[in-house]
Amino acid sequence: MCHTIAVTEARDHLDHRVRRSWTPAGGQDAILPPHAARWLASKTGLVERSTPAAPDSALAVAESALPEVARKALEAAVGADHVLRSREDRLGRAGGLSYLDLLRHRGTGELTVPDAVVLPADPDEVQRVVEVCAEHGVGLVPFGGGTSVVGGVQALRGTKESVVVVDLCRLDRLVSVDPVSRLAVLQAGVLAPEAERLLAGHGLTLGHVPQSFERATIGGFAATRSSGQASAGYGRFEDMVEGVRLATPRGEWRLGVAPASAAGPDLRQLVVGSEGAFGVLSEVTVRVRRLPETRRYEGFVLDGWSRGADAVRELAQRRVLADVTRLSDPHETEMAFSLSGGWKTAVVRRYLRARGVLDPCLLVLGWEGEPGEVAARRRATLRALGSLRPISLGTAVGEKWRHGRFSGPRQRDALLDMGVCVETLETATYWSGVDTLRSAVRAALVDSLATPGRRPIVACHISHAYETGASLYFTVLTPRDLDDPIGQWARAKAAACAAISSNGPLGTISHHHAVGVDHAPYLPAEIGSLGVDVLAAVKRELDPEGVLNPGKLLGP
Amino acid sequence: MCHTIAVTEARDHLDHRVRRSWTPAGGQDAILPPHAARWLASKTGLVERSTPAAPDSALAVAESALPEVARKALEAAVGADHVLRSREDRLGRAGGLSYLDLLRHRGTGELTVPDAVVLPADPDEVQRVVEVCAEHGVGLVPFGGGTSVVGGVQALRGTKESVVVVDLCRLDRLVSVDPVSRLAVLQAGVLAPEAERLLAGHGLTLGHVPQSFERATIGGFAATRSSGQASAGYGRFEDMVEGVRLATPRGEWRLGVAPASAAGPDLRQLVVGSEGAFGVLSEVTVRVRRLPETRRYEGFVLDGWSRGADAVRELAQRRVLADVTRLSDPHETEMAFSLSGGWKTAVVRRYLRARGVLDPCLLVLGWEGEPGEVAARRRATLRALGSLRPISLGTAVGEKWRHGRFSGPRQRDALLDMGVCVETLETATYWSGVDTLRSAVRAALVDSLATPGRRPIVACHISHAYETGASLYFTVLTPRDLDDPIGQWARAKAAACAAISSNGPLGTISHHHAVGVDHAPYLPAEIGSLGVDVLAAVKRELDPEGVLNPGKLLGP
């Protein structure tokens, strides 16, 4: 690449990642305030208990089944120090952050523990590790931040007798920057906050901020077609990917010579979203932007879901979306008000009643850029909203949302400790189906979870809007069935997925969480049996031994 | 689809398309004015001759080799009236509009004439035709507008003994409109102007205006990853495709349930650009927009290519591109001035000299939308250009460009008649490589075409700009080597393609013309041997008999 600046950076954060252990993140915002717990109890019938994660020592972990010859070959590829087989190291990569993964770490259900953890240093070592696994018939699970919420990093063996996790944490470099073309080459294991720190040194940003931001990696974003909270402004991650370097059993595959092309199908879009089933991403070339000079986040309220959705649609179709555009339905708005509590929230509620708002829906809008540009774009957004009469709650509400926007996973740990079943799921559909699909999924969740004594909260928001449609993101809270937590979850998940994938209007089985294990049964309904056959054919071509991420994407 | 309006429309234009014969389009703008011919002669050394297309009667056309049993099966699928075998009907679908296709119709080189032309009425009939061809081992070339300039619709047999062209002209319906989601379902054979006429009835537009607009079809756009002249505003065609219906030998494949998804790789992007090698597109669901109320097209001049390219890059990276953004290099600007001639052009030249412009580069900018929006977006564009001091030539220059923007193919016929070798080719690369690649391709073309007495004109423009890079479109004019016109073309094409695909900075072998036959040899350099293997595996899966569009995309 011309005009490219080669970059080397210190790696002082690395030890922490290599010595990874599976622990809830904790922190101040992981603690649910008493009024919130009371509200939850009154709404759902929750009887609070203490159900903490099991100590690691209590979990069953089988001995490593990695054959000696494979271990030696892997050690030859990456060095003996970088093939970890301790109980703790293996347990630290036993699954991700799905509800089932969290239950397993609480002693419910069977943990999938890899037989070893391999830590390649660079793309060439990744390539050798992939080839060794193919040669020895060892399953291989690529592992970035381990934040998958759909089972995408479960250490499943598939048809193999052993499986290793390839943790990419040592691939943590910003390789190069091309400031003229606004391109950066990042190794797959770079954490999102670290990517932003490295890019900020060049006055650049990626702008990709999913809720998993604090722990997720560049490679994981690409592997799962991630979409950040500012996708309206910065695009989905697949829009940012300009090139990939993929380690496959058949050799390294590099793609990406131009921003757009008519040289056949866009194969980058076949690699992006392949979830480790076609190869291990080792480097990603991404489009970057100038670091914004300023930002303005603001809260608004619209009266009623339909009006709110119309507002977001209007913004999307006029192409004046704010960079962050996020509409909560009345249930989520009520939950936000109730969980934050305090006199300020009470004032807001009173103010809205006084303005005649019956069914408040919170709309968070955020703009980023140069001051003049932010002002101009904000004016355009608000002008388009005019006739829908949004009520501004000011920047404090917007900033509060921004500061708390990565806390979901930590709050989930706290809720699990309290005996709550807490899960999120998401879909997307075209605008004409948004209302109906929201109602259908909501009804499926409520019907499958409500029992005498348990009243589920089902909240929903639109966080990603397009000219032709939008995402729908559901948060579910209900007292956990402590006798059968897996069955409780499985019935609700199946009901929601059926609502999404078997009746009109159809939605996608995942807008940004990916397929993993949990959604694999529903993929055929979305892409057809021919689609599944095509993916399987591609996998056979690239991974003839079938060692790559067993059980994900295409299922068992 | 909810809220969908079913549509039926009169089909009074159809006879003309069914009775297609291969003739240059003609028309007023196909005639080169005398001063233009004089300028061309003085620049290139052209000695004008009359070398018109051969009359159809002079062309060699073999008897149809379609086996009787296959013919009967096709007739059973679409009706006997819709399997055409006359010499004229077959000759009318003998290739597209590539330079080599045009030479063949002038008696140079061997025409690829299909053994029959099949005219299915709807997607179900397309599906049956595909299955019949697979069953009987008959090659099948999908045919929309027949405007491919890379051999994409040549009736090659591949390994088969016969080949039919499946002309989609009867699939000419707007199937439905979803005004809420801004979606339209169009049959694959709808011509672009007809699509705009049908959509305008609903106050909507597609906004896709490639140079082939007048003759090209919706299915062709999707099959080739077309990009229109207003791509900066409306997106490339792949950005507009929300769903596809593809007839494959393995059955019909439908894709598209949401505007975005993380349910595995985006398989729509595997179908878009598959050039008929994976199946025949029968329907395409496209994103549409509100019909613009007004438009403003304006001409500007910048001094020097580098400054011009910097200007376009600045607009792209600040995301204030006009909907049409088109920068001509000094050679193309000189050509535009010289071909238009007249006293007005003379005044413009004098004015630019007086302003100290040494190396004028024409920049056409066009905005479309509501009046207020057009004004605001124009201000944002011009503000970003400020420091580069563009000189406005006013709206007359912009409008002149707009009115002539589809005339290229007709002018090419006129130039061919005069004994000129006229060809276009295009690529795209990242911004840091744009200057170097333009120089390299230009040098390759000049070096391979210049001979004593022949001085090629090589002109270039940027017509599609992205945050990370841009397209480069080259127009070549030189006296045709009447003794060896194919060799003359082949050497220049090979030199240009080598400049694009074998040295850094690399470009794509095609930004919007597609692969077809002409670019197939260069595809492996761009997507790697693994990329080719993956495409071949997908083709084997969907088209196990290998009947679909033989010789295209993946080569012989």
Side-chain angles (χ1 to χ4, degrees), chain B residues 129-179:
Chain B
V129 167
V130 168
E131 287 170 12
V132 165
C133 287
E135 192 183 330
H136 294 274
V138 174
L140 180 169
V141 178
F143 196 99
T147 62
S148 170
V149 291
V150 292
V153 291
Q154 267 195 270
L156 299 174
R157 280 170 178 72
T159 59
K160 307 302 169 195
E161 283 173 19
S162 61
V163 62
V164 298
V165 158
V166 177
D167 190 324
L168 298 160
C169 60
R170 294 172 71 205
L171 279 86
D172 63 345
R173 292 178 188 275
L174 171 61
V175 178
S176 65
V177 170
D178 174 351

Short mmCIF file of all heavy atoms in Angstrom, two decimals, chain B residues 129-179:
data_model
loop_
_atom_site.label_atom_id
_atom_site.label_comp_id
_atom_site.label_asym_id
_atom_site.label_seq_id
_atom_site.Cartn_x
_atom_site.Cartn_y
_atom_site.Cartn_z
N VAL B 129 -37.12 -23.58 -17.84
CA VAL B 129 -36.14 -23.54 -18.92
C VAL B 129 -34.76 -23.94 -18.41
O VAL B 129 -34.04 -24.73 -19.05
CB VAL B 129 -36.11 -22.12 -19.55
CG1 VAL B 129 -34.89 -21.96 -20.47
CG2 VAL B 129 -37.40 -21.85 -20.32
N VAL B 130 -34.39 -23.42 -17.25
CA VAL B 130 -33.09 -23.76 -16.67
C VAL B 130 -33.01 -25.27 -16.42
O VAL B 130 -32.00 -25.92 -16.73
CB VAL B 130 -32.85 -22.96 -15.37
CG1 VAL B 130 -31.65 -23.51 -14.60
CG2 VAL B 130 -32.66 -21.48 -15.69
N GLU B 131 -34.08 -25.83 -15.89
CA GLU B 131 -34.07 -27.26 -15.60
C GLU B 131 -34.00 -28.10 -16.87
O GLU B 131 -33.30 -29.11 -16.93
CB GLU B 131 -35.30 -27.63 -14.75
CG GLU B 131 -35.15 -27.12 -13.32
CD GLU B 131 -36.43 -27.22 -12.48
OE1 GLU B 131 -37.38 -27.89 -12.91
OE2 GLU B 131 -36.46 -26.61 -11.38
N VAL B 132 -34.73 -27.65 -17.91
CA VAL B 132 -34.67 -28.37 -19.18
C VAL B 132 -33.26 -28.34 -19.74
O VAL B 132 -32.72 -29.37 -20.19
CB VAL B 132 -35.68 -27.76 -20.19
CG1 VAL B 132 -35.38 -28.24 -21.60
CG2 VAL B 132 -37.11 -28.08 -19.77
N CYS B 133 -32.61 -27.19 -19.69
CA CYS B 133 -31.25 -27.08 -20.22
C CYS B 133 -30.30 -27.99 -19.45
O CYS B 133 -29.43 -28.64 -20.03
CB CYS B 133 -30.76 -25.64 -20.17
SG CYS B 133 -31.55 -24.60 -21.43
N ALA B 134 -30.46 -28.01 -18.10
CA ALA B 134 -29.58 -28.87 -17.30
C ALA B 134 -29.81 -30.33 -17.65
O ALA B 134 -28.87 -31.12 -17.81
CB ALA B 134 -29.83 -28.62 -15.82
N GLU B 135 -31.08 -30.68 -17.81
CA GLU B 135 -31.43 -32.08 -18.10
C GLU B 135 -30.86 -32.54 -19.43
O GLU B 135 -30.39 -33.66 -19.57
CB GLU B 135 -32.96 -32.21 -18.10
CG GLU B 135 -33.47 -33.62 -18.08
CD GLU B 135 -35.01 -33.63 -18.16
OE1 GLU B 135 -35.63 -32.66 -17.66
OE2 GLU B 135 -35.55 -34.58 -18.72
N HIS B 136 -30.89 -31.63 -20.41
CA HIS B 136 -30.48 -32.01 -21.76
C HIS B 136 -29.06 -31.57 -22.08
O HIS B 136 -28.61 -31.71 -23.22
CB HIS B 136 -31.47 -31.44 -22.79
CG HIS B 136 -32.84 -32.06 -22.67
ND1 HIS B 136 -33.17 -33.23 -23.30
CD2 HIS B 136 -33.92 -31.68 -21.96
CE1 HIS B 136 -34.43 -33.54 -23.00
NE2 HIS B 136 -34.91 -32.62 -22.18
N GLY B 137 -28.37 -31.01 -21.10
CA GLY B 137 -26.98 -30.61 -21.34
C GLY B 137 -26.84 -29.52 -22.38
O GLY B 137 -25.90 -29.52 -23.19
N VAL B 138 -27.77 -28.60 -22.38
CA VAL B 138 -27.73 -27.49 -23.34
C VAL B 138 -27.22 -26.23 -22.63
O VAL B 138 -27.76 -25.86 -21.58
CB VAL B 138 -29.14 -27.21 -23.91
CG1 VAL B 138 -29.14 -25.96 -24.79
CG2 VAL B 138 -29.64 -28.43 -24.68
N GLY B 139 -26.19 -25.61 -23.17
CA GLY B 139 -25.70 -24.36 -22.60
C GLY B 139 -26.77 -23.29 -22.64
O GLY B 139 -27.65 -23.30 -23.51
N LEU B 140 -26.71 -22.35 -21.68
CA LEU B 140 -27.78 -21.36 -21.52
C LEU B 140 -27.16 -20.01 -21.21
O LEU B 140 -26.43 -19.87 -20.22
CB LEU B 140 -28.65 -21.85 -20.34
CG LEU B 140 -29.87 -21.06 -19.88
CD1 LEU B 140 -30.65 -21.95 -18.91
CD2 LEU B 140 -29.49 -19.77 -19.18
N VAL B 141 -27.44 -19.04 -22.04
CA VAL B 141 -26.91 -17.69 -21.83
C VAL B 141 -28.06 -16.76 -21.45
O VAL B 141 -28.94 -16.50 -22.27
CB VAL B 141 -26.21 -17.16 -23.10
CG1 VAL B 141 -25.71 -15.74 -22.88
CG2 VAL B 141 -25.07 -18.08 -23.50
N PRO B 142 -28.10 -16.26 -20.22
CA PRO B 142 -29.15 -15.28 -19.87
C PRO B 142 -28.89 -13.98 -20.61
O PRO B 142 -27.75 -13.54 -20.72
CB PRO B 142 -28.97 -15.09 -18.36
CG PRO B 142 -28.00 -16.13 -17.91
CD PRO B 142 -27.18 -16.51 -19.10
N PHE B 143 -29.97 -13.37 -21.11
CA PHE B 143 -29.83 -12.21 -21.98
C PHE B 143 -30.85 -11.16 -21.56
O PHE B 143 -32.05 -11.41 -21.52
CB PHE B 143 -30.09 -12.65 -23.42
CG PHE B 143 -29.62 -11.69 -24.48
CD1 PHE B 143 -28.41 -11.89 -25.13
CD2 PHE B 143 -30.40 -10.59 -24.85
CE1 PHE B 143 -27.99 -11.02 -26.13
CE2 PHE B 143 -29.98 -9.72 -25.84
CZ PHE B 143 -28.77 -9.93 -26.49
N GLY B 144 -30.35 -9.99 -21.15
CA GLY B 144 -31.23 -8.90 -20.77
C GLY B 144 -31.29 -7.87 -21.88
O GLY B 144 -31.98 -8.05 -22.87
N GLY B 145 -30.50 -6.82 -21.74
CA GLY B 145 -30.46 -5.80 -22.79
C GLY B 145 -29.38 -6.07 -23.82
O GLY B 145 -29.31 -5.39 -24.84
N GLY B 146 -28.54 -7.04 -23.54
CA GLY B 146 -27.47 -7.35 -24.49
C GLY B 146 -26.43 -6.25 -24.59
O GLY B 146 -25.81 -6.06 -25.63
N THR B 147 -26.21 -5.53 -23.49
CA THR B 147 -25.28 -4.39 -23.56
C THR B 147 -23.90 -4.70 -22.99
O THR B 147 -23.08 -3.79 -22.86
CB THR B 147 -25.86 -3.17 -22.79
OG1 THR B 147 -26.01 -3.54 -21.42
CG2 THR B 147 -27.19 -2.74 -23.36
N SER B 148 -23.64 -5.95 -22.65
CA SER B 148 -22.33 -6.27 -22.07
C SER B 148 -21.20 -5.81 -22.99
O SER B 148 -21.22 -6.05 -24.18
CB SER B 148 -22.20 -7.78 -21.84
OG SER B 148 -20.87 -8.11 -21.50
N VAL B 149 -20.20 -5.16 -22.41
CA VAL B 149 -19.03 -4.74 -23.19
C VAL B 149 -17.81 -5.61 -22.91
O VAL B 149 -16.69 -5.27 -23.27
CB VAL B 149 -18.69 -3.25 -22.93
CG1 VAL B 149 -19.77 -2.35 -23.50
CG2 VAL B 149 -18.47 -2.99 -21.45
N VAL B 150 -18.04 -6.75 -22.25
CA VAL B 150 -16.92 -7.65 -21.93
C VAL B 150 -17.18 -9.08 -22.38
O VAL B 150 -16.58 -10.02 -21.88
CB VAL B 150 -16.61 -7.62 -20.40
CG1 VAL B 150 -16.06 -6.28 -19.99
CG2 VAL B 150 -17.86 -7.98 -19.58
N GLY B 151 -18.12 -9.24 -23.32
CA GLY B 151 -18.42 -10.58 -23.82
C GLY B 151 -19.34 -11.39 -22.93
O GLY B 151 -19.45 -12.61 -23.09
N GLY B 152 -20.02 -10.73 -22.00
CA GLY B 152 -20.82 -11.44 -21.01
C GLY B 152 -22.02 -12.19 -21.58
O GLY B 152 -22.56 -13.07 -20.90
N VAL B 153 -22.46 -11.83 -22.79
CA VAL B 153 -23.60 -12.55 -23.38
C VAL B 153 -23.22 -13.25 -24.68
O VAL B 153 -24.08 -13.59 -25.49
CB VAL B 153 -24.81 -11.62 -23.62
CG1 VAL B 153 -25.41 -11.19 -22.29
CG2 VAL B 153 -24.44 -10.40 -24.45
N GLN B 154 -21.93 -13.47 -24.88
CA GLN B 154 -21.53 -14.27 -26.04
C GLN B 154 -22.14 -15.66 -25.91
O GLN B 154 -22.12 -16.26 -24.83
CB GLN B 154 -20.02 -14.40 -26.07
CG GLN B 154 -19.33 -13.35 -26.92
CD GLN B 154 -17.90 -13.77 -27.20
OE1 GLN B 154 -17.01 -13.44 -26.43
NE2 GLN B 154 -17.70 -14.50 -28.28
N ALA B 155 -22.67 -16.16 -27.03
CA ALA B 155 -23.34 -17.47 -26.98
C ALA B 155 -22.30 -18.59 -27.12
O ALA B 155 -22.29 -19.33 -28.10
CB ALA B 155 -24.41 -17.55 -28.06
N LEU B 156 -21.45 -18.70 -26.09
CA LEU B 156 -20.41 -19.74 -26.11
C LEU B 156 -21.03 -21.08 -25.72
O LEU B 156 -21.96 -21.14 -24.92
CB LEU B 156 -19.30 -19.38 -25.13
CG LEU B 156 -18.56 -18.08 -25.42
CD1 LEU B 156 -17.57 -17.77 -24.29
CD2 LEU B 156 -17.82 -18.18 -26.76
N ARG B 157 -20.47 -22.14 -26.27
CA ARG B 157 -21.01 -23.48 -25.97
C ARG B 157 -20.29 -24.14 -24.79
O ARG B 157 -20.81 -25.08 -24.21
CB ARG B 157 -20.88 -24.38 -27.21
CG ARG B 157 -21.98 -24.11 -28.22
CD ARG B 157 -21.77 -24.79 -29.55
NE ARG B 157 -22.91 -24.50 -30.41
CZ ARG B 157 -23.16 -23.33 -30.97
NH1 ARG B 157 -22.34 -22.32 -30.74
NH2 ARG B 157 -24.23 -23.14 -31.71
N GLY B 158 -19.11 -23.69 -24.47
CA GLY B 158 -18.34 -24.38 -23.44
C GLY B 158 -18.13 -25.82 -23.85
O GLY B 158 -17.72 -26.09 -24.99
N THR B 159 -18.44 -26.76 -22.99
CA THR B 159 -18.26 -28.18 -23.31
C THR B 159 -19.52 -28.77 -23.93
O THR B 159 -19.57 -29.97 -24.20
CB THR B 159 -17.96 -28.97 -22.02
OG1 THR B 159 -19.06 -28.78 -21.12
CG2 THR B 159 -16.68 -28.46 -21.36
N LYS B 160 -20.54 -27.93 -24.12
CA LYS B 160 -21.82 -28.44 -24.61
C LYS B 160 -21.88 -28.39 -26.14
O LYS B 160 -21.14 -27.64 -26.77
CB LYS B 160 -22.98 -27.61 -24.03
CG LYS B 160 -22.94 -27.49 -22.51
CD LYS B 160 -22.98 -28.83 -21.82
CE LYS B 160 -22.68 -28.71 -20.34
NZ LYS B 160 -22.36 -30.00 -19.72
N GLU B 161 -22.79 -29.15 -26.70
CA GLU B 161 -22.88 -29.17 -28.16
C GLU B 161 -23.83 -28.13 -28.70
O GLU B 161 -23.83 -27.83 -29.89
CB GLU B 161 -23.28 -30.57 -28.63
CG GLU B 161 -22.08 -31.49 -28.56
CD GLU B 161 -22.42 -32.94 -28.85
OE1 GLU B 161 -23.48 -33.19 -29.45
OE2 GLU B 161 -21.60 -33.79 -28.46
N SER B 162 -24.66 -27.60 -27.82
CA SER B 162 -25.57 -26.54 -28.27
C SER B 162 -25.77 -25.55 -27.14
O SER B 162 -25.50 -25.84 -25.98
CB SER B 162 -26.92 -27.13 -28.72
OG SER B 162 -27.53 -27.78 -27.63
N VAL B 163 -26.21 -24.38 -27.53
CA VAL B 163 -26.41 -23.31 -26.54
C VAL B 163 -27.64 -22.50 -26.94
O VAL B 163 -27.86 -22.23 -28.12
CB VAL B 163 -25.15 -22.42 -26.42
CG1 VAL B 163 -24.84 -21.71 -27.74
CG2 VAL B 163 -25.30 -21.40 -25.29
N VAL B 164 -28.45 -22.15 -25.96
CA VAL B 164 -29.59 -21.27 -26.23
C VAL B 164 -29.41 -19.97 -25.45
O VAL B 164 -28.80 -19.96 -24.38
CB VAL B 164 -30.94 -21.93 -25.85
CG1 VAL B 164 -31.18 -23.19 -26.67
CG2 VAL B 164 -31.02 -22.22 -24.36
N VAL B 165 -29.94 -18.91 -26.03
CA VAL B 165 -30.03 -17.65 -25.31
C VAL B 165 -31.41 -17.58 -24.67
O VAL B 165 -32.42 -17.82 -25.34
CB VAL B 165 -29.79 -16.45 -26.26
CG1 VAL B 165 -30.41 -15.18 -25.69
CG2 VAL B 165 -28.30 -16.26 -26.51
N VAL B 166 -31.43 -17.31 -23.36
CA VAL B 166 -32.71 -17.11 -22.69
C VAL B 166 -32.91 -15.60 -22.58
O VAL B 166 -32.31 -14.93 -21.74
CB VAL B 166 -32.73 -17.78 -21.30
CG1 VAL B 166 -34.05 -17.49 -20.60
CG2 VAL B 166 -32.53 -19.29 -21.46
N ASP B 167 -33.71 -15.07 -23.51
CA ASP B 167 -33.97 -13.63 -23.53
C ASP B 167 -35.11 -13.34 -22.57
O ASP B 167 -36.21 -13.89 -22.69
CB ASP B 167 -34.32 -13.20 -24.97
CG ASP B 167 -34.36 -11.69 -25.11
OD1 ASP B 167 -34.81 -11.00 -24.16
OD2 ASP B 167 -33.97 -11.19 -26.19
N LEU B 168 -34.84 -12.47 -21.61
CA LEU B 168 -35.81 -12.22 -20.54
C LEU B 168 -36.78 -11.09 -20.85
O LEU B 168 -37.44 -10.55 -19.94
CB LEU B 168 -35.04 -11.94 -19.23
CG LEU B 168 -34.17 -13.14 -18.80
CD1 LEU B 168 -33.09 -12.72 -17.84
CD2 LEU B 168 -35.03 -14.24 -18.19
N CYS B 169 -36.89 -10.72 -22.14
CA CYS B 169 -37.67 -9.53 -22.48
C CYS B 169 -39.14 -9.62 -22.06
O CYS B 169 -39.78 -8.61 -21.85
CB CYS B 169 -37.55 -9.21 -23.96
SG CYS B 169 -38.12 -10.50 -25.05
N ARG B 170 -39.67 -10.84 -21.93
CA ARG B 170 -41.08 -10.94 -21.51
C ARG B 170 -41.24 -10.78 -20.01
O ARG B 170 -42.36 -10.60 -19.53
CB ARG B 170 -41.68 -12.28 -21.97
CG ARG B 170 -41.76 -12.38 -23.51
CD ARG B 170 -42.18 -13.77 -23.92
NE ARG B 170 -43.57 -14.06 -23.61
CZ ARG B 170 -44.06 -15.29 -23.42
NH1 ARG B 170 -43.23 -16.33 -23.47
NH2 ARG B 170 -45.33 -15.47 -23.16
N LEU B 171 -40.17 -10.83 -19.26
CA LEU B 171 -40.24 -10.57 -17.82
C LEU B 171 -40.08 -9.08 -17.61
O LEU B 171 -39.04 -8.59 -17.16
CB LEU B 171 -39.16 -11.36 -17.06
CG LEU B 171 -39.52 -12.83 -16.80
CD1 LEU B 171 -39.14 -13.68 -18.00
CD2 LEU B 171 -38.88 -13.34 -15.54
N ASP B 172 -41.12 -8.35 -17.97
CA ASP B 172 -41.01 -6.89 -18.08
C ASP B 172 -41.93 -6.18 -17.11
O ASP B 172 -42.33 -5.05 -17.35
CB ASP B 172 -41.32 -6.48 -19.52
CG ASP B 172 -42.75 -6.81 -19.91
OD1 ASP B 172 -43.39 -7.61 -19.19
OD2 ASP B 172 -43.22 -6.28 -20.93
N ARG B 173 -42.26 -6.81 -16.00
CA ARG B 173 -43.28 -6.25 -15.12
C ARG B 173 -42.68 -5.69 -13.83
O ARG B 173 -41.75 -6.25 -13.27
CB ARG B 173 -44.31 -7.32 -14.73
CG ARG B 173 -45.17 -7.75 -15.88
CD ARG B 173 -46.14 -8.85 -15.49
NE ARG B 173 -46.81 -9.35 -16.66
CZ ARG B 173 -47.89 -8.80 -17.20
NH1 ARG B 173 -48.43 -7.73 -16.66
NH2 ARG B 173 -48.44 -9.31 -18.28
N LEU B 174 -43.30 -4.63 -13.39
CA LEU B 174 -43.14 -4.18 -12.01
C LEU B 174 -44.13 -5.01 -11.20
O LEU B 174 -45.34 -4.86 -11.35
CB LEU B 174 -43.46 -2.68 -11.91
CG LEU B 174 -43.55 -2.07 -10.51
CD1 LEU B 174 -42.25 -2.21 -9.76
CD2 LEU B 174 -43.95 -0.59 -10.61
N VAL B 175 -43.63 -5.91 -10.39
CA VAL B 175 -44.49 -6.88 -9.72
C VAL B 175 -45.23 -6.26 -8.55
O VAL B 175 -46.42 -6.47 -8.35
CB VAL B 175 -43.65 -8.10 -9.24
CG1 VAL B 175 -44.52 -9.10 -8.50
CG2 VAL B 175 -42.95 -8.75 -10.42
N SER B 176 -44.51 -5.50 -7.75
CA SER B 176 -45.14 -4.88 -6.59
C SER B 176 -44.30 -3.72 -6.09
O SER B 176 -43.12 -3.61 -6.40
CB SER B 176 -45.34 -5.91 -5.46
OG SER B 176 -44.08 -6.34 -4.99
N VAL B 177 -44.97 -2.86 -5.34
CA VAL B 177 -44.31 -1.72 -4.73
C VAL B 177 -44.71 -1.69 -3.26
O VAL B 177 -45.87 -1.90 -2.92
CB VAL B 177 -44.75 -0.40 -5.42
CG1 VAL B 177 -44.25 0.81 -4.64
CG2 VAL B 177 -44.24 -0.34 -6.85
N ASP B 178 -43.74 -1.50 -2.39
CA ASP B 178 -44.01 -1.31 -0.96
C ASP B 178 -43.55 0.11 -0.63
O ASP B 178 -42.39 0.34 -0.34
CB ASP B 178 -43.22 -2.36 -0.16
CG ASP B 178 -43.33 -2.16 1.35
OD1 ASP B 178 -43.86 -1.11 1.78
OD2 ASP B 178 -42.86 -3.03 2.09
N PRO B 179 -44.49 1.06 -0.71
CA PRO B 179 -44.08 2.47 -0.55
C PRO B 179 -43.59 2.78 0.86
O PRO B 179 -42.82 3.72 1.04
CB PRO B 179 -45.34 3.26 -0.89
CG PRO B 179 -46.47 2.30 -0.75
CD PRO B 179 -45.93 0.92 -0.96
#
